[in-house]
Amino acid sequence: MNNSTNSTMSRVEKTLARRYRAEKRFRVYGLLSILFGLACLAILFTDIISKGHSAFLQTRIQLTVELDPEELEIDDPTDPDQIRGGYYQGVIRDALAERFPEVDGRSAKRALNALVSDGAVYQLQDELRDDPALLGQEVSLWLLADDDVDTYVKSRREGQAFAGMLGEDQVQWIESLIASDDLRTQLNTTFFTASDSREPEQAGIAGAALGSLLTLLVTLVLSFPIGVAAAIYLEEYAPKNRVTELIEVNINNLAAVPSIIFGLLGLAIFINWFGMPRSVPLVGGLVLTLMTLPTIIISSRAAIKSVPPSIREAALGIGASRMQMVLHHVLPLAMPGMLTGTIIGMAQALGETAPLLMIGMVAFIVDLPAGVTDPATVLPVQIFLWSDSPERAFVERTSAAIMVLLAFLILMNTLAIWLRKRLERRW
Amino acid sequence: MSMNEQYASAVGGANELKEGRSMEAYTDLAGTDHAEVSKDRTREKTVGKPLLESAKMSTRNVKVFYDDKQVLFDVNLDIGANEVIAMIGPSGCGKSTFLRCLNRMNDTIDSCRVEGDLTLDGQNIYDPKLDVVPLRARVGMVFQKPNPFPKSIYDNVAYGPRIHGLVDHRAELDEVVETSLKRAGLWEEVKDRLHQPGTGLSGGQQQRLCIARTIAVSPEVILMDEPCSALDPIATARIEELIAELSENFTIAIVTHSMQQAARVSSRTAYFHLGKLIEVNDTEVVFTNPQHKLTEAYITGRFG
Amino acid sequence: MNFSTIFAIVVLMIGLGYLLGRGRSVQLAGQIGGVRHLNSLPFYYGALIALWCAIPSLLIFMGWIVFDDIIIRSMVVAELPAQYQQMSAAEQSLLVNSLENIAAGVHFGEPEPALQEAANRLLSLQTASRWSLAGVVISTALAALVIGWTRMSPQYKARVHVETVFKGLLLTSSLIAIFTTVGIVLSVLFEALRFFRAVPFTEFVFGLEWSPQTAIRADQVGSSGAFGAVPLFVGTLVISAIAMLVAVPTGLMSAIYLSEYASRRVRAWVKPALEVLAGIPTVVYGFFAALTVAPFVRNLGEAMGLDVSSESALAAGVVMGVMIIPFVSSLSDDVISAVPQSMRDGSLALGATRSETVKQVIVPAALPGIVGGVLLAVSRAIGETMIVVMAAGLAANLTANPLETVTTVTVQIVTLLVGDQEFNSPKTLAAFALGLMLFVITLCLNFLALHVVKKYREQYE
């Protein structure tokens, strides 16, 4: 016996080194896999932030503008119609010509005028509306610069100036503005207050964010009660029969159906069959409800399952009806888990793009949606639309919109985790 | 015998020394119930003959903690070569925890911490430099619930020899599998279906398969953690017979919940109570003339 | 009277119903010696009348909203002069839109008298519809109130009835899952069948050329359009295969490392961090793939002397793989943790190293579950849309070379359906045929995967 164990041990020891090398290799593979995943995450975030952070700043040009009533064609600055119809372009051109008196010739002047954004007229309009007394005065204003100027100034600051569409003379004018401190970058409020625009410097995410909010609201109002009700039925009421089995199979399958299929459903049923309008948050919300329902049902069922049977027996034992047992005991105890699942479902809905493309939420919409039946777009779709635009200024805005979207998602997920930690009971 | 007593007193002295230190440590807390209890615990000594002249495995001052909770208190015990030692005691007394210390299976539990000296043939098994892989090849273990791998019967038994590289060619492996199954008394029942899954066997057969799997690596010590608790009486009797046969070649430490089983299979018996080793003696002595009142209470069925 | 006013009135009446029912039951109880002589608590009497009020009137309300537009439109169109009757459905739909604009007073110049008349009719029909809706809904609710009031008695088993309704509502909610599936099947199937009437099924499934751009003028080149979907299927397969090559090994190894090696602290940080990858919207991955990974892959290829397309399948596939990593890893983690600890103990107690235990005991034991998870991941890769829409191309090349541009089923669905479309052209219907294919394939994969996983779970329960 002793001999045999000795030989066993010597054999065991002979292979040990090889086995430990295999062990180490395996461990390294595991570690590398995790590092690869984490590295992808880090690269993605760094890439987006490095591309997008500059969108939160905006270039403005200081000009001394004379609000000449004749040029503006305004005689009564208290009349909103006149304010709206004013010819602001002219006074801005005059101001530019005054700043650069040496510029001559039609095409040169046009190039000069292109430095200031078309959006600057709205700025003048607002100034005049807020203070009618300015009419006829000379005011010094920081006017919104064109996106090419914006891109040039930002890239110049990073050491590799990108002129793009700008001509040589335009670059010289910008340099002269910088030299005389008449050009600065400031917080980009337009990005948060404006809707979509063809001009990058005037484009913002407010419309898309509002659209997302309305769509999510519809989704939440529909999917939470329906999801919870379905979960209660399946956990507490459903008999073991074919119908129940069919429902369960359906829910599990729907959870894995590609989201674009839900878009096809929305297009065919809600829009073509029911005749609902295209591009509206109501239909978007309906489609996303159908898409998130399985998630909510599955997590709500898990939450209900985790309530121990003893609680149910206790309630039934003192003569509570099934509905009372559910409403008074099971539901309150399972609520944190249900809410967590719902928030995660909402986060999923917030990031969803493909089904909304199908129901036409890709339209170019400049107005803020006022209700769930107004045409709107949502944040992810806005990102998709902007990412297709060739202007470099749109790349940074796309990245910035992504940052905002990710911030919302992180917020929602943190809320879900906090809720789970805070409220979840351990049995 | 006198040597044994010397041993015991030497260890006892060490214990007292330690106790002195603990007393100092506790003076701050003197008067509180907690301190009283702890003092009692450290003062108590194992009665009987926990130590042997020549031990296969020996443990000194073994303490085990799960996070901050201490579950074993200064266990001193020797296990002799080719003996069957039974560990009995009420549930939660730490007997299984102690058993798992002997081949470092407690390493798999993150929160578990083991202190004290444990040796196998004089070699410290908790030495950080010691390799657990050969240790576990030498100290095998059979668990409470039969846990055959979801592989064929043959592959279950061949698993150990394969991973340790104990055989050079297929014929040799066949032989090892056959001998192990024969020694585990399972050969006749399974020789025609060696390539069917081990999970298809009955509970008792599965447990014997696990024993065959363990002895296929030719360990020196076999630890058995309540090996019959999930089995019916007939299968239990079969396993008990097997233990008696195996004791010719292996050292066996068995944790059991059943006093009858301990009486039937073991030559020595250790009684654990609330994490302390209360009494160790020849099995006959423990069951006919227990020296500690707790052992007596347990044996006579006043609790358990 | 607009819809929200009608809705508000209905809600008010439901509230009133509750109060009335409750009050009536308390009053009845007073005559017989207190609430405890009632069959049910006053709450249930109130709730019952509220439900009687709510269910019929809200059902009518919802049905009305859904269908009144269609009915009114067809009524208006039916009265239009014959020239408008012959228009296609799409043109008619545009016409009705312009009628609505005329009715709202938004128009340029003076509309044709016939249209002006139709617009007026539209307006009056809409007003009439709302008033009659209000009438119908309010009288239904009132009737419910009256019936409830008269039928109420202390012996009336209000609780039982409320609970039946409650259970009915729960059942209806859970049936929505079935309705959704049926809805998907119907919507996709019908349009797909219409498509197959124009393009034979065999040509669609086995055809090697895909160019759905039907020409506007009949004499244009390529006016016929080709609907052979094989290039799309191959493209989808190529991209999915790349994605799985990235996701399966990394996801599986991460799961193994996290569940078998990592300390609790590392696990507590790394697991959620990896799951962030799953929470990032696909449109973000698409942007990342198109603007960062694709140029990178192309430059890398050029540096190695390879000719890489700027919309290579490789870039889209790799990014999709990264997106699927957490999906594979959390599913594998689930099945690996479902392997009983006793298996690990058994193997470790024999002196196996951790990797031997993983490779020879745990992975074989968890294999069915892992396979199920991988199948789900494949179904996800096939159905993934935004990454490929943004990073893969539109050119339907029949190639398995990952460095070339390929297109996928989902990309084509999006391209065919986004933007202005005629609803009846084969081009639009082709999207539904592709949708049908996508649905059937993912359904089979999901079904298989869920079945395998279920069987696996039962094994260890």
Side-chain angles (χ1 to χ4, degrees):
Chain A
M1 190 65 219
N2 245 356
N3 272 349
S4 94
T5 52
N6 280 346
S7 79
T8 303
M9 285 323 292
S10 67
R11 269 174 173 273
V12 168
E13 252 136 46
K14 228 175 8 192
T15 59
L16 268 184
R18 181 180 54 75
R19 289 171 65 193
Y20 276 120
R21 274 199 304 278
E23 169 79 17
K24 205 173 205 169
R25 229 178 304 132
F26 192 72
R27 232 187 131 111
V28 169
Y29 290 153
L31 209 56
L32 283 180
S33 300
I34 287 183
L35 288 180
F36 175 73
L38 295 180
C40 288
L41 188 67
I43 292 170
L44 182 71
F45 272 84
T46 325
D47 184 51
I48 300 287
I49 292 174
S50 69
K51 280 200 180 103
H53 71 278
S54 54
F56 296 110
L57 291 176
Q58 190 178 43
T59 307
R60 283 177 184 261
I61 297 171
Q62 177 165 256
L63 285 179
T64 309
V65 184
E66 194 196 343
L67 296 172
D68 177 16
E70 255 165 61
E71 180 90 48
L72 288 171
E73 296 168 8
I74 294 174
D75 42 38
D76 177 15
T78 52
D79 177 7
D81 273 344
Q82 281 196 17
I83 293 279
R84 217 176 297 130
Y87 184 59
Y88 301 96
Q89 218 99 49
V91 293
I92 295 174
R93 278 179 198 162
D94 293 346
L96 275 169
E98 204 169 307
R99 175 68 179 71
F100 295 99
E102 71 279 8
V103 177
D104 202 23
R106 271 175 72 111
S107 65
K109 281 208 159 151
R110 203 179 303 139
L112 179 63
N113 293 337
L115 294 185
V116 174
S117 161
D118 295 341
V121 298
Y122 301 107
Q123 221 178 320
L124 286 186
Q125 221 178 76
D126 290 346
E127 290 286 339
L128 206 55
R129 188 177 32 225
D130 293 345
D131 187 1
L134 288 180
L135 191 68
Q137 309 249 329
E138 263 195 6
V139 282
S140 166
L141 289 172
W142 285 99
L143 295 177
L144 191 58
D146 190 67
D147 63 299
D148 289 331
V149 180
D150 192 49
T151 305
Y152 175 76
V153 171
K154 283 169 183 168
S155 57
R156 178 181 177 274
R157 201 171 292 163
E158 273 159 23
Q160 35 191 315
F162 174 82
M165 307 279 283
L166 293 175
E168 253 174 64
D169 43 355
Q170 284 176 308
V171 170
Q172 274 170 11
W173 297 327
I174 296 170
E175 290 297 338
S176 112
L177 283 170
I178 295 172
S180 64
D181 262 348
D182 282 331
L183 189 147
R184 70 173 188 201
T185 51
Q186 62 180 61
L187 183 69
N188 186 353
T189 48
T190 318
F191 186 68
F192 295 102
T193 53
S195 284
D196 199 3
S197 166
R198 300 275 185 225
E199 298 300 326
E201 76 274 6
Q202 294 177 54
I205 54 165
L210 192 58
S212 272
L213 182 74
L214 290 170
T215 310
L216 274 197
L217 217 60
V218 174
T219 311
L220 180 67
V221 164
L222 291 172
S223 64
F224 182 63
I226 296 177
V228 168
I232 292 175
Y233 178 78
L234 290 173
E235 283 302 316
E236 303 287 343
Y237 284 90
K240 277 247 169 289
N241 62 16
R242 296 296 269 287
V243 179
T244 310
E245 210 175 299
L246 190 66
I247 294 175
E248 291 192 353
V249 167
N250 264 300
I251 290 173
N252 289 332
N253 268 321
L254 284 178
V257 164
S259 59
I260 191 169
I261 299 279
F262 287 96
L264 290 177
L265 165 87
L267 176 60
I269 304 255
F270 296 134
I271 293 183
N272 287 329
W273 202 52
F274 286 172
M276 288 176 158
R278 287 175 146 263
S279 316
V280 299
L282 179 65
V283 179
L286 280 171
V287 169
L288 293 179
T289 298
L290 296 182
M291 201 194 78
T292 47
L293 259 183
T295 313
I296 296 180
I297 295 177
I298 291 169
S299 62
S300 298
R301 287 186 71 178
I304 294 174
K305 252 191 209 132
S306 73
V307 175
S310 60
I311 303 253
R312 293 183 182 80
E313 283 158 11
L316 294 177
I318 54 168
S321 70
R322 205 161 256 280
M323 177 175 136
Q324 286 167 330
M325 171 198 92
V326 168
L327 292 182
H328 300 168
H329 301 281
V330 177
L331 208 52
L333 291 173
M335 199 45 86
M338 294 174 161
L339 286 177
T340 311
T342 307
I343 295 173
I344 288 169
M346 289 300 115
Q348 204 184 347
L350 176 59
E352 198 51 72
T353 320
L356 301 180
L357 298 184
M358 298 288 97
I359 56 155
M361 289 186 93
V362 270
F364 172 73
I365 289 152
V366 185
D367 300 319
L368 290 181
V372 293
T373 50
D374 269 10
T377 187
V378 293
L379 266 178
V381 176
Q382 187 72 76
I383 290 167
F384 171 64
L385 286 172
W386 282 354
S387 73
D388 241 9
S389 308
E391 290 95 337
R392 208 172 132 146
F394 265 128
V395 172
E396 71 173 24
R397 274 167 182 76
T398 312
S399 304
I402 289 176
M403 284 161 74
V404 172
L405 179 63
L406 288 179
F408 276 121
L409 287 174
I410 291 171
L411 201 73
M412 288 169 82
N413 281 299
T414 316
L415 183 68
I417 292 168
W418 178 81
L419 204 66
R420 181 157 54 198
K421 288 229 167 99
R422 180 75 197 274
L423 299 175
E424 203 166 61
R425 228 174 262 251
R426 292 250 162 255
W427 301 100
Chain B
M1 195 46 90
S2 66
M3 280 285 270
N4 262 352
E5 274 159 12
Q6 272 178 19
Y7 238 110
S9 69
V11 173
N15 257 357
E16 268 153 28
L17 210 75
K18 222 174 156 43
E19 211 176 285
R21 253 183 286 142
S22 340
M23 287 289 275
E24 270 172 38
Y26 283 126
T27 41
D28 300 358
L29 296 165
T32 67
D33 284 353
H34 177 73
E36 285 306 318
V37 170
S38 308
K39 224 159 49 184
D40 279 355
R41 279 186 178 169
T42 43
R43 186 173 293 157
E44 271 170 30
K45 263 179 288 187
T46 306
V47 299
K49 303 177 295 179
L51 307 182
L52 300 173
E53 266 171 74
S54 74
K56 182 75 187 167
M57 298 191 81
S58 62
T59 70
R60 296 292 180 269
N61 300 322
V62 171
K63 302 185 200 55
V64 177
F65 303 84
Y66 287 119
D67 288 324
D68 292 331
K69 190 175 179 296
Q70 191 171 0
V71 295
L72 273 186
F73 301 86
D74 295 299
V75 175
N76 296 291
L77 179 66
D78 281 348
I79 299 169
N82 288 22
E83 77 166 352
V84 178
I85 180 164
M87 297 168 193
I88 58 170
S91 17
C93 67
K95 54 192 191 301
S96 287
T97 302
F98 177 70
L99 194 75
R100 289 172 70 97
C101 291
L102 296 177
N103 71 344
R104 290 186 51 178
M105 278 309 283
N106 280 336
D107 289 10
T108 58
I109 301 162
D110 282 343
S111 58
C112 181
R113 188 158 52 85
V114 179
E115 286 176 13
D117 296 328
L118 293 97
T119 58
L120 171 65
D121 288 337
Q123 188 186 10
N124 181 5
I125 60 174
Y126 274 84
D127 186 336
K129 272 175 277 174
L130 179 119
D131 193 343
V132 294
V133 167
L135 168 73
R136 288 177 186 156
R138 292 173 70 189
V139 184
M141 187 161 190
V142 176
F143 298 85
Q144 187 167 4
K145 249 178 75 187
N147 55 351
F149 302 134
K151 297 168 178 283
S152 71
I153 295 170
Y154 183 93
D155 286 338
N156 259 287
V157 182
Y159 180 73
R162 271 187 184 141
I163 57 168
H164 291 298
L166 298 184
V167 288
D168 293 326
H169 39 77
R170 182 79 190 200
E172 221 179 319
L173 186 61
D174 288 348
E175 199 189 311
V176 171
V177 170
E178 186 176 336
T179 348
S180 308
L181 283 170
K182 274 184 177 154
R183 278 167 122 182
L186 196 60
W187 177 249
E188 289 304 318
E189 292 158 61
V190 300
K191 65 180 177 194
D192 299 327
R193 45 171 173 153
L194 284 177
H195 295 286
Q196 284 171 20
T199 40
L201 297 172
S202 74
Q205 288 173 323
Q206 286 189 5
Q207 193 62 298
R208 275 181 282 146
L209 177 62
C210 292
I211 293 174
R213 187 175 71 188
T214 308
I215 57 186
V217 225
S218 323
E220 296 157 45
V221 182
I222 301 177
L223 309 174
M224 296 189 173
D225 187 1
E226 304 195 31
C228 303
S229 67
L231 306 182
D232 61 68
I234 296 167
T236 302
R238 193 76 192 74
I239 302 264
E240 285 178 8
E241 266 170 53
L242 183 57
I243 293 172
E245 285 161 27
L246 292 174
S247 67
E248 287 170 25
N249 295 321
F250 303 97
T251 303
I252 296 176
I254 176 169
V255 161
T256 172
H257 213 78
S258 143
M259 283 174 278
Q260 290 84 345
Q261 187 171 63
R264 284 192 297 264
V265 301
S266 68
S267 54
R268 279 165 83 223
T269 297
Y271 173 66
F272 285 78
H273 187 87
L274 292 178
K276 282 164 288 177
L277 181 55
I278 303 297
E279 177 169 355
V280 184
N281 245 325
D282 288 340
T283 301
E284 254 188 69
V285 179
V286 170
F287 284 97
T288 52
N289 186 20
Q291 293 175 9
H292 196 287
K293 58 181 193 309
L294 279 171
T295 319
E296 192 188 347
Y298 182 71
I299 299 294
T300 53
R302 253 175 273 160
F303 57 82
Chain C
M1 185 162 281
N2 59 21
F3 289 128
S4 34
T5 324
I6 303 175
F7 186 74
I9 292 176
V10 173
V11 169
L12 273 178
M13 290 185 71
I14 294 169
L16 186 71
Y18 174 75
L19 292 177
L20 274 178
R22 207 192 134 90
R24 170 80 171 151
S25 71
V26 173
Q27 183 204 344
L28 284 173
Q31 298 163 5
I32 55 169
V35 168
R36 71 206 152 81
H37 294 281
L38 286 173
N39 177 282
S40 316
L41 291 173
F43 164 79
Y44 289 101
Y45 290 97
L48 189 61
I49 292 195
L51 284 172
W52 275 349
C53 253
I55 293 172
S57 48
L58 288 182
L59 279 182
I60 294 174
F61 185 76
M62 264 160 33
W64 202 289
I65 287 186
V66 170
F67 292 108
D68 76 331
D69 247 19
I70 307 174
I71 297 171
I72 290 175
R73 278 168 180 230
S74 63
M75 281 168 76
V76 171
V77 171
E79 301 245 322
L80 280 171
Q83 76 203 67
Y84 297 107
Q85 300 286 341
Q86 282 143 15
M87 286 172 145
S88 71
E91 283 171 310
Q92 281 185 352
S93 146
L94 276 178
L95 181 69
V96 175
N97 280 343
S98 67
L99 285 182
E100 269 167 7
N101 286 339
I102 294 169
V106 187
H107 51 81
F108 296 104
E110 203 56 33
E112 283 176 53
L115 291 186
Q116 181 66 56
E117 197 182 315
N120 291 343
R121 188 166 160 69
L122 183 73
L123 214 57
S124 69
L125 275 176
Q126 277 173 346
T127 320
S129 153
R130 280 186 207 143
W131 279 106
S132 41
L133 170 64
V136 171
V137 165
I138 291 171
S139 49
T140 314
L142 260 181
L145 275 185
V146 172
I147 294 171
W149 179 273
T150 50
R151 287 184 60 178
M152 188 170 288
S153 74
Q155 290 79 40
Y156 195 72
K157 290 181 176 146
R159 186 179 57 72
V160 176
H161 289 276
V162 170
E163 295 199 345
T164 314
V165 175
F166 179 70
K167 191 177 159 185
L169 286 176
L170 297 185
L171 176 63
T172 316
S173 302
S174 60
L175 286 178
I176 285 181
I178 295 183
F179 295 150
T180 309
T181 311
V182 172
I184 289 176
V185 172
L186 287 186
S187 58
V188 182
L189 195 65
F190 273 126
E191 309 296 343
L193 285 179
R194 282 169 67 190
F195 172 74
F196 291 134
R197 237 173 276 150
V199 178
F201 181 73
T202 44
E203 188 192 320
F204 176 69
V205 175
F206 300 111
L208 298 183
E209 200 193 330
W210 177 268
S211 64
Q213 302 310 326
T214 35
I216 301 161
R217 292 193 320 273
D219 55 339
Q220 260 178 332
V221 184
S223 60
S224 58
F227 292 96
V230 171
L232 311 191
F233 297 150
V234 171
T236 309
L237 276 183
V238 168
I239 291 186
S240 304
I242 298 170
M244 297 325 283
L245 278 179
V246 173
V248 171
T250 25
L252 188 58
M253 283 309 291
S254 311
I256 289 172
Y257 189 87
L258 284 180
S259 64
E260 303 294 325
Y261 287 99
S263 67
R264 233 186 305 170
R265 271 186 57 153
V266 171
R267 196 180 150 88
W269 282 103
V270 172
K271 212 172 135 68
L274 277 183
E275 267 158 23
V276 170
L277 279 176
I280 293 175
T282 52
V283 68
V284 178
Y285 280 110
F287 179 72
F288 181 63
L291 263 85
T292 307
V293 180
F296 175 76
V297 167
R298 198 166 64 141
N299 294 340
L300 198 70
E302 271 168 7
M304 293 191 303
L306 292 170
D307 186 26
V308 183
S309 152
S310 62
E311 290 178 328
S312 62
L314 190 63
V318 166
V319 172
M320 194 191 281
V322 170
M323 182 194 82
I324 296 177
I325 289 174
F327 191 71
V328 174
S329 96
S330 70
L331 282 172
S332 316
D333 195 27
D334 282 355
V335 292
I336 287 173
S337 5
V339 174
Q341 180 64 29
S342 68
M343 293 287 147
R344 288 180 189 88
D345 284 352
S347 173
L348 292 174
L350 283 170
T353 61
R354 280 203 178 267
S355 64
E356 285 159 354
T357 307
V358 168
K359 280 187 277 192
Q360 299 186 32
V361 177
I362 295 176
V363 169
L367 200 60
I370 293 174
V371 169
V374 170
L375 285 180
L376 281 180
V378 170
S379 128
R380 187 144 227 225
I382 291 176
E384 171 46 43
T385 310
M386 292 319 292
I387 294 179
V388 280
V389 166
M390 295 166 82
L394 289 172
N397 295 325
L398 183 56
T399 172
N401 181 355
L403 302 180
E404 277 186 45
T405 304
V406 294
T407 191
T408 72
V409 173
T410 49
V411 172
Q412 291 304 321
I413 296 180
V414 170
T415 330
L416 294 176
L417 286 184
V418 167
D420 297 326
Q421 25 157 305
E422 292 171 66
F423 206 72
N424 289 322
S425 77
K427 188 182 145 194
T428 318
L429 294 176
F432 284 90
L434 290 174
L436 178 69
M437 288 294 156
L438 185 62
F439 181 67
V440 169
I441 291 169
T442 52
L443 192 73
C444 291
L445 280 173
N446 298 342
F447 206 76
L448 194 65
L450 292 170
H451 185 73
V452 170
V453 172
K454 197 176 160 208
K455 275 273 166 296
Y456 166 75
R457 287 198 183 285
E458 278 165 3
Q459 184 190 336
Y460 289 117
E461 256 165 17

